Amino acid sequence: MRILILEDDPAIAFDLQAILEADGHEVVDSISSLAEAYQHLDDRFDCALLDIDVIGGKSFGVAETLMERHIPFVFVSASAPSDLPQPLQQAAFVAKPFEEKVLLKTVEHAVPNLLPC
């Protein structure tokens, strides 16, 4: 699976990338700001991992654009799921600090049509 990461903490971004690549996924890019995220929305990826609070503000607009385009995403954040705006409260969510198994299982469930048969 091709995954885009939006995370402004370089150490966390590195951990996410290492976990995903060790599980056989391809990280197409790891970006840290909203401006970069909007520039990469036309890239080809199967899923995105979104921190909520990143450089430039909150990633809710990016998430809404992904929803409109039917691109799965997972929030990976220290914020609470209840902090999400109403239209995004059903989105997949992994709380920081995250466990590797929980992260991978959540990503797999976010993109069920790409799972092996």
Side-chain angles (χ1 to χ4, degrees):
M1 188 176 337
R2 294 171 49 83
I3 301 175
L4 178 71
I5 298 173
L6 173 58
E7 170 61 61
D8 62 346
D9 182 319
I12 295 172
F14 179 81
D15 286 346
L16 289 169
Q17 183 167 351
I19 290 166
L20 293 166
E21 289 177 345
D23 197 52
H25 302 291
E26 176 187 352
V27 174
V28 295
D29 211 340
S30 182
I31 53 181
S32 61
S33 73
L34 287 180
E36 287 177 294
Y38 284 111
Q39 291 174 352
H40 286 275
L41 287 179
D42 290 328
D43 293 354
R44 293 179 46 103
F45 54 92
D46 304 307
C47 182
L49 300 186
L50 307 176
D51 187 9
I52 290 175
D53 294 300
V54 296
I55 297 168
K58 298 195 180 290
S59 64
F60 300 145
V62 172
E64 289 170 351
T65 301
L66 293 173
M67 281 179 62
E68 290 168 5
R69 295 180 181 191
H70 305 286
I71 299 172
F73 63 90
V74 176
F75 285 114
V76 181
S77 178
S79 297
S82 60
D83 295 338
L84 296 171
Q86 183 60 36
L88 298 174
Q89 287 193 351
Q90 299 302 315
F93 192 96
V94 174
K96 289 179 186 174
F98 53 84
E99 294 181 24
E100 183 176 328
K101 288 180 183 179
V102 171
L103 175 74
L104 293 172
K105 181 175 270 194
T106 304
V107 169
E108 288 174 3
H109 283 123
V111 191
N113 60 331
L114 292 178
L115 291 177
C117 295

